[in-house]
Amino acid sequence: MTPLRIPILNYHCVSYDPAPWIADYTVTPGDLEQHLDLVLAGGRTVVPVSRLADAAAGRQPLPRNPLVITFDDGFADFADVAVPALAYRRLRCTFYAATGSLEGRPRRETVFPPHPMVSWSQLPELEEQGVEIGAHSHTHRDLDLADPRVAADEVVRSKELLEDFLGHEIRSFAYPYGHFTARLRRVVEECGYDSACAVRSRLSRVGDNVFALARLPLRAATTVEEVGAWVAGRGARVASARPDTLGVRANRLYRRVLRMPVLPENGLVAP
């Protein structure tokens, strides 16, 4: 029997005029509305990420034809544009906040360039509108290349800040840039999360690793036809049982090499 395919759509910015540094990962408000209408027309039942964790743990079965919608980072247009479009259609989503970039604290602690972001004061209102809030690290640095102690602090701090402010458990985490390692997955699990999203550009499925859930990134170049295929469970490969594939490891090595300074006196790469 073919495993149930679960599209997990991954959005970032929603704007007609995005900043250049996030433009590639921006969809227009009009495109977002078309995508959401395709979800409705496709007969999918939209659930938050934590519903996948509940199903994996045997706490609650999945509905027929599930689909998940996620938004990463915390751009202000999520609250201003995306949430009204979702609420109009009575659709839910999971919002992964990089806590160091949210508005309303004295100091920004983020790798993002200056950009309008969701404020802390908006988070309770977002929850009232059916948004599940998850953590997306504190500064949004590349955790799979960071010192393990720094990575662990990012995972813990974002969870604690959100829990202290909202007064309830934060169950899900999303890896910055979708990058993860087996050790980082263990850290996320040990910190008390019960799910975590990667990217992987794959359709998720029943049995997908609940701490490396595969998502489909929505980019400026993504066509409405591609989204329609994803909603139908086509147009992308299905996630493998092993999330840390050879391709993932090769990409990590490539990024690590790029970050290493070159010593001019001998041309060697520094350790």
Side-chain angles (χ1 to χ4, degrees):
M1 181 178 177
T2 303
L4 179 63
R5 299 180 179 191
I6 307 172
I8 305 180
L9 306 182
N10 177 212
Y11 292 91
H12 294 80
C13 187
V14 183
S15 174
Y16 285 114
D17 186 27
W21 63 272
I22 194 61
D24 285 347
Y25 285 90
T26 299
V27 301
T28 69
D31 281 345
L32 175 65
E33 296 215 3
Q34 283 189 281
H35 300 169
L36 299 181
D37 288 340
L38 286 171
V39 170
L40 290 176
R44 290 282 184 173
T45 301
V46 177
V47 297
V49 170
S50 290
R51 184 70 179 272
L52 303 184
D54 288 339
R59 291 187 290 266
Q60 188 178 14
L62 284 173
R64 188 170 178 270
N65 293 328
L67 180 143
V68 180
I69 300 171
T70 67
F71 286 81
D72 287 4
D73 301 335
F75 297 110
D77 52 63
F78 169 71
D80 298 338
V81 179
V83 170
L86 289 158
Y88 177 76
R89 294 163 177 82
R90 298 184 179 181
L91 297 177
R92 299 193 64 188
C93 73
T94 298
F95 170 62
Y96 289 107
T99 50
S101 66
L102 298 181
E103 305 283 358
R105 293 290 173 103
R107 186 164 58 116
R108 295 177 78 252
E109 297 176 295
T110 178
V111 300
F112 294 147
H115 194 283
M117 306 298 281
V118 167
S119 70
W120 283 92
S121 62
Q122 289 176 288
L123 297 182
E125 181 182 348
L126 293 176
E127 290 191 323
E128 290 174 3
Q129 296 180 75
V131 175
E132 176 184 52
I133 294 177
H136 195 34
S137 83
H138 187 62
T139 67
H140 202 278
R141 69 181 68 193
D142 221 340
L143 299 186
D144 69 328
L145 301 183
D147 180 280
R149 291 169 296 181
V150 172
D153 176 72
E154 290 268 346
V155 171
V156 172
R157 195 187 333 179
S158 56
K159 180 178 174 69
E160 290 181 344
L161 285 170
L162 288 169
E163 289 181 343
D164 288 347
F165 185 80
L166 294 170
H168 62 75
E169 180 186 15
I170 297 297
R171 297 179 56 187
S172 193
F173 184 82
Y175 304 104
Y177 310 105
H179 299 151
F180 61 90
T181 63
R183 174 161 51 186
L184 188 55
R185 294 201 312 270
R186 288 194 298 273
V187 168
V188 170
E189 185 173 6
E190 290 166 359
C191 287
Y193 297 96
D194 61 15
S195 65
C197 282
V199 177
R200 301 172 64 193
S201 299
R202 298 282 191 272
L203 288 158
S204 186
R205 62 181 179 86
V206 171
D208 196 3
N209 188 307
V210 76
F211 286 99
L213 292 167
R215 295 189 291 174
L216 298 158
L218 278 295
R219 304 182 66 167
T222 304
T223 66
V224 172
E225 291 72 22
E226 285 178 288
V227 178
W230 293 345
V231 170
R234 299 181 282 102
R237 294 182 180 180
V238 179
S240 64
R242 290 190 59 191
D244 200 7
T245 63
L246 179 60
V248 169
R249 295 194 295 271
N251 176 269
R252 186 182 308 129
L253 177 60
Y254 174 73
R255 288 181 291 111
R256 182 173 286 123
V257 169
L258 285 182
R259 288 171 54 140
M260 291 179 179
V262 176
L263 303 181
E265 66 275 13
N266 56 19
L268 298 177
V269 177

